[in-house]
Amino acid sequence: MNRHKSSEISRIAIFFAMMLVIHFISNLVFNLWPVPIKPTLVHIPVIVASIMYGPRIGAILGGLMGLISIITNTVILLPTSYLFSPFVDNGNFASLMIAMVPRILIGITPSYCYKLIPNKVGLVLSGMVGSLTNTIFVLSGIFVFFATVFGGNIKTLLTAIISTNAIAEIVISALVTVALVPTLSKIKK
């Protein structure tokens, strides 16, 4: 029992460390990036862990991803920080929901998707499902809870996000998932 618990904590710590490194490096690179596409990459370790270790570890890592989002948007103020942090002006309980719920679900949906289709196609689909889970639930939350923002023209913002970031995130998630999981599974054994 204790050995199982400590190995689970170790897995979470390793994947969380990867998430922090990806978060800091991607923020640095994408702030220098001259293109408006700035895809989220922190969710990839959550997707991989969900497939390899199940929805429980995936959900924990997704929750940690949500905390990263809350802390980042509380400390580094951007025009959209209130969407992910209840601790900034115009932020509220809905901000907390948008930051946490989709990220926790990222840790659950790929695991079940891969259990349904346990092959390379399933890995591609699981990567896509994980990314889509984040995109659909975050953007739906913004649409539902903050529809009056931007003079009620939130649809323009959401369309821009879907047409740029979301597509890049889906492709990157699928490719990295199908490349990483088989290699990590061999190492795991």
Side-chain angles (χ1 to χ4, degrees), residues 19-182:
M19 290 165 58
L20 289 174
V21 169
I22 290 169
H23 174 70
F24 289 121
I25 291 174
S26 65
N27 275 342
L28 180 68
V29 169
F30 291 140
N31 284 334
L32 301 173
W33 188 286
V35 181
I37 298 173
K38 299 180 190 308
T40 301
L41 302 176
V42 178
H43 66 294
I44 294 172
V46 178
I47 294 168
V48 170
S50 171
I51 293 167
M52 291 187 62
Y53 300 110
R56 178 173 143 64
I57 288 180
I60 291 168
L61 289 166
L64 291 170
M65 181 185 169
L67 287 175
I68 292 171
S69 179
I70 292 168
I71 292 167
T72 301
N73 284 286
T74 301
V75 174
I76 302 169
L77 296 177
L78 298 170
T80 56
S81 288
Y82 68 93
L83 297 171
F84 303 99
S85 175
F87 307 111
V88 299
D89 287 342
N90 300 319
N92 55 37
F93 182 73
S95 307
L96 186 64
M97 299 271 296
I98 292 170
M100 294 300 292
V101 173
R103 278 50 186 272
I104 291 169
L105 291 174
I106 293 171
I108 297 170
T109 56
S111 177
Y112 289 111
C113 180
Y114 187 64
K115 284 179 183 174
L116 286 173
I117 309 167
N119 55 32
K120 282 199 177 206
V121 173
L123 286 175
V124 171
L125 290 174
S126 296
M128 294 172 73
V129 164
S131 185
L132 280 169
T133 299
N134 185 49
T135 301
I136 290 168
F137 283 96
V138 167
L139 297 183
S140 297
I142 292 169
F143 184 77
V144 169
F145 296 119
F146 295 101
T148 60
V149 177
F150 301 108
N153 198 9
I154 194 77
K155 291 177 187 172
T156 305
L157 172 69
L158 298 179
T159 302
I161 292 169
I162 290 169
S163 64
T164 57
N165 284 7
I167 294 169
E169 289 171 6
I170 291 166
V171 170
I172 292 167
S173 296
L175 292 175
V176 173
T177 301
V178 77
L180 271 183
V181 171

